[in-house]
Amino acid sequence: MSGLWKSIAVLLGLAAASQGHVYRHDHSFQPDHILRVTAGTFSEACSERYSVLVNGSLPGPELRLREGETSWIRVYNDMTDANTTIHWHGLTAYTAPFSDGTPAASQWPIPPGRFFDYEVRPEIGSAGTYFYHSHVGFQAMTAKGPLIVESCEAPLYEYDEERTLLITDYFSETDAEIVDGLTSNNFTWSGETEAILVNGYSRPATNATGSCELAAISIDPGKTYRLRFIGGTALSFVSLAIESHEVFIIEADGHDTKPLMTDFLQIASGQRYSVLLKAKSEQELQQLDTRQFYIQMTTLARPEVLTNFAVLNYFSHSQLPDLTTVPSPPPLPVAELVDGWLDYELEPAHDNDFPTLDQVTRRIIIDVHQNVSDHTIWLQNGYDWVQSFPKSPYLVDIYTNKLNLDATYHRALTRGNGFDNITRTFPAKIGEVLEIVWQNRGTVDNGGLDAHPFHAHGRHVYDIGAGDGLYDIAANEERLRRTHPIQRDTSVLYRYRKETDVLAPSGWRAWRVRVTNAGVWMYHCHVLQHMVMGMQTVFTFGDREDILAQSGPVDAGYLTYGGSAYGSETKAPVVQHFKN
């Protein structure tokens, strides 16, 4: 239903509540998209696993939204024993404060047997590649799908067609078993990735049994393709290359970039890239005497190296590719990690109002390390954060006046590191320009290190680079003089070595962000295991008055678990339209 006709339907056919922009979404309201979250046994990577799925598949259906237009996405929780949410990874959600999909931060989760109508409005200028996923526990390993924001103008780069490649990984243990192992006093690691999948397909070994196949990405000779790569893995940091092909990067995390040629990609969990690929001509294919080429993917920065494949397929409908043969040995050299890949190289295609050093109002350094005591946890400035820490979502407590943002800001500045240890939040005022430095440090027990893809909710950050050791302001400023930082929502904190001395610095990643969107925003490592183990933080932007001015008063149905904003088979939800 178009925005115009939906508005007419709302005005004429829906029973309005007492507030002007609150409506009952009864049978006459038709959402633009419907997602149903279920749990059950599902076959993937030649195995069966009890998994949480969206619309019964992995990946879930691809959603296409248009920048500047509001879409209503109804998410049903068809599970009987677990909450869920959906987060629109990479999209700002400040125009609809309860639509970011972060339980304990911005909304109450969707209870079993209920549904929630998400109001999603991509901003003008946000056309690009995104994805959606659950933000509860370990559900995001399988409960996810591609989300493409289409431009209201012609794309910057010309191409004939496009293909989406969602990269995921596989663990045979169930979500519950993995979470129990990671959070118990008898710590049990989830194990390493057992398979890398593309669009839900993988054949992990030459001796694999069963009917599972490699993913086939079909293209025609001579055409130019936009390939959208989505890092939807739970753990894996993947190096990806296409046999006998080079590509040009043209987008990173929803932002157009200047074209940059590369023969491989490094894609961490949460990151997205679009590339232009010029397909080979019919004559070139005849000379090479093949019509299929392997897409080779190798895990990075892990104790075990795993290499899996997909197929770039030039066959016609009458000629089918071989999707059951896993090449041995691999057709390409097995990749190794490149620390700082593309840092200071990838540049924006348009002016992006980058804040210079003299505009920075505060610098926040977040020390990241693992601690082993009664159980193994990840800490930021000495504290972990898990979904069970706050008794109710921060945003709800702000609206109900239970969370005093002025007090949290005062405590954070008094401590000197920008962190309020009482609420475990990093508060900021509207108009500030923050420089946020993620500082990697050796594990308390043995100095071990890991790589972390940090993801920012809300407004995208300006990635100002990374390096080894401690962050050096002057040295990094000198490097920035020769480049133009891009905006991202996910970038990697590298480790630079496997281990160091206890708490010794080994790697940093720095961001700048303009504090313009009032609300509650998660900043966290996007590795699901690390999130479950506490590697998450919460930033609050603005004070209560800023948040109320942005959204207006909110209906009480959003402020309690299972409130009237959450519908069921027998009860239509009372929904606030924040952006008409």
Side-chain angles (χ1 to χ4, degrees):
M1 179 184 292
S2 70
L4 174 62
W5 285 107
K6 183 176 294 180
S7 298
I8 293 173
V10 167
L11 291 172
L12 297 180
L14 301 180
S18 58
Q19 193 171 339
H21 296 293
V22 180
Y23 308 94
R24 187 173 299 279
H25 281 191
D26 62 14
H27 65 278
S28 62
F29 175 83
Q30 295 297 317
D32 299 283
H33 304 278
I34 293 177
L35 302 178
R36 305 200 76 112
V37 180
T38 61
T41 301
F42 184 73
S43 179
E44 53 182 311
C46 302
S47 303
E48 289 193 342
R49 180 185 187 273
Y50 187 83
S51 299
V52 179
L53 303 171
V54 180
N55 289 16
S57 65
L58 173 67
E62 179 173 291
L63 302 183
R64 290 209 165 233
L65 313 181
R66 185 170 292 274
E67 58 181 3
E69 295 184 6
T70 298
S71 293
W72 286 94
I73 306 174
R74 177 164 292 180
V75 176
Y76 287 88
N77 182 1
D78 291 333
M79 297 183 289
T80 60
D81 58 354
N83 294 324
T84 196
T85 65
I86 292 292
H87 167 58
W88 320 100
H89 182 104
L91 293 182
T92 58
Y94 71 93
T95 54
F98 299 102
S99 285
D100 192 43
T102 48
S106 67
Q107 74 164 120
W108 287 106
I110 308 170
R114 306 291 292 276
F115 67 82
F116 186 79
D117 288 343
Y118 285 94
E119 182 180 2
V120 183
R121 183 185 179 91
E123 292 182 289
I124 296 293
S126 65
T129 308
Y130 303 86
F131 69 116
Y132 61 86
H133 59 79
S134 169
H135 221 288
V136 172
F138 213 76
Q139 293 177 11
M141 177 187 151
T142 48
K144 67 186 73 176
L147 189 159
I148 309 302
V149 175
E150 297 177 334
S151 177
C152 55
E153 299 179 350
L156 181 62
Y157 300 104
E158 293 183 357
Y159 50 88
D160 297 302
E161 297 180 29
E162 60 181 65
R163 302 286 186 265
T164 301
L165 292 84
L166 175 64
I167 303 168
T168 59
D169 47 13
Y170 176 77
F171 296 85
S172 54
E173 289 190 320
T174 65
D175 296 349
E177 290 169 337
I178 290 173
V179 171
D180 287 346
L182 296 174
T183 57
S184 70
N185 290 342
N186 183 22
F187 175 78
T188 304
W189 177 239
S190 62
E192 296 299 309
T193 302
E194 297 170 47
I196 308 169
L197 297 83
V198 173
N199 296 341
Y201 290 89
S202 179
R203 190 173 180 85
T206 53
N207 62 353
T209 58
S211 59
C212 69
E213 297 179 335
L214 302 175
I217 309 302
S218 298
I219 62 176
D220 295 324
K223 289 185 177 181
T224 298
Y225 288 86
R226 178 178 187 158
L227 305 183
R228 300 179 184 266
F229 291 97
I230 300 173
T233 55
L235 171 66
S236 298
F237 187 7
V238 173
S239 182
L240 181 148
I242 305 175
E243 183 184 10
S244 301
H245 290 72
E246 291 181 333
V247 297
F248 287 90
I249 298 173
I250 59 167
E251 178 218 344
D253 292 358
H255 293 276
D256 292 333
T257 67
K258 293 181 180 178
L260 182 66
M261 179 180 285
T262 182
D263 57 3
F264 74 100
L265 300 173
Q266 282 187 181
I267 308 175
S269 175
Q271 293 185 314
R272 291 93 59 214
Y273 293 97
S274 281
V275 304
L276 290 183
L277 178 142
K278 177 65 174 178
K280 295 187 180 300
S281 67
E282 188 65 43
Q283 182 179 7
E284 288 175 308
L285 294 172
Q286 291 176 7
Q287 291 173 345
L288 292 169
D289 194 28
T290 183
R291 302 189 74 85
Q292 75 174 49
F293 301 86
Y294 284 102
I295 303 172
Q296 184 168 315
M297 298 161 290
T298 301
T299 56
L300 303 169
R302 301 303 310 163
E304 299 176 11
V305 176
L306 174 67
T307 299
N308 280 170
F309 304 91
V311 169
L312 189 70
N313 165 40
Y314 284 86
F315 283 100
S316 64
H317 294 296
S318 60
Q319 298 172 295
L320 298 178
D322 177 6
L323 301 179
T324 58
T325 299
V326 177
S328 182
L332 299 171
V334 175
E336 295 184 359
L337 177 68
V338 178
D339 290 319
W341 182 70
L342 293 189
D343 287 344
Y344 311 98
E345 294 182 52
L346 202 57
E347 296 192 349
H350 316 282
D351 176 58
N352 61 9
D353 193 26
F354 170 65
T356 55
L357 180 62
D358 62 320
Q359 295 175 286
V360 172
T361 58
R362 271 196 299 144
R363 181 171 295 107
I364 297 174
I365 297 177
I366 306 177
D367 286 318
V368 175
H369 76 275
Q370 191 180 82
N371 189 44
V372 180
S373 53
D374 55 340
H375 61 284
T376 303
I377 55 177
W378 284 98
L379 303 175
Q380 294 78 220
N381 286 357
Y383 290 84
D384 63 335
W385 192 93
V386 293
Q387 291 176 3
S388 60
F389 169 69
K391 301 304 180 185
S392 57
Y394 292 105
L395 189 61
V396 168
D397 285 350
I398 292 169
Y399 281 113
T400 57
N401 228 354
K402 295 178 182 177
L403 177 58
N404 187 329
L405 292 179
D406 289 330
T408 64
Y409 188 78
H410 175 74
R411 288 194 298 265
L413 265 60
T414 301
R415 284 175 56 88
N417 62 359
F419 178 64
D420 174 31
N421 64 325
I422 303 300
T423 58
R424 302 190 191 180
T425 61
F426 289 86
K429 296 290 187 182
I430 297 297
E432 287 193 89
V433 176
L434 304 180
E435 187 165 285
I436 300 169
V437 181
W438 301 95
Q439 182 68 61
N440 218 347
R441 292 185 179 272
T443 298
V444 166
D445 61 335
N446 61 11
L449 293 157
D450 213 336
H452 306 286
F454 275 98
H455 172 55
H457 290 222
R459 182 70 62 200
H460 287 197
V461 301
Y462 297 88
D463 191 307
I464 62 171
D468 196 4
L470 280 171
Y471 178 54
D472 185 321
I473 302 168
N476 198 51
E477 275 303 299
E478 185 60 32
R479 295 198 71 176
L480 289 176
R481 292 179 191 277
R482 301 186 294 273
T483 187
H484 300 87
I486 62 172
Q487 290 177 274
R488 302 208 65 163
D489 57 65
T490 310
S491 53
V492 179
L493 173 62
Y494 291 91
R495 62 182 184 176
Y496 291 91
R497 54 192 55 81
K498 293 181 179 179
E499 60 184 40
T500 185
D501 295 334
V502 171
L503 295 181
S506 183
W508 55 268
R509 167 68 60 185
W511 294 343
R512 286 182 192 157
V513 58
R514 295 184 183 275
V515 182
T516 58
N517 50 326
V520 178
W521 310 109
M522 298 293 302
Y523 280 32
H524 61 87
C525 177
H526 211 266
V527 170
L528 295 186
Q529 287 89 334
H530 295 173
M531 290 174 62
V532 168
M533 296 164 66
M535 203 169 196
Q536 306 181 81
T537 63
V538 176
F539 277 72
T540 58
F541 285 0
D543 53 29
R544 184 172 186 269
E545 289 70 26
D546 295 319
I547 293 173
L548 289 175
Q550 191 167 267
S551 67
V554 300
D555 188 75
Y558 291 92
L559 303 180
T560 58
Y561 175 69
S564 59
Y566 296 78
S568 68
E569 288 186 2
T570 59
K571 188 174 182 181
V574 176
V575 177
Q576 191 152 344
H577 290 209
F578 289 96
K579 193 72 174 179
N580 290 321

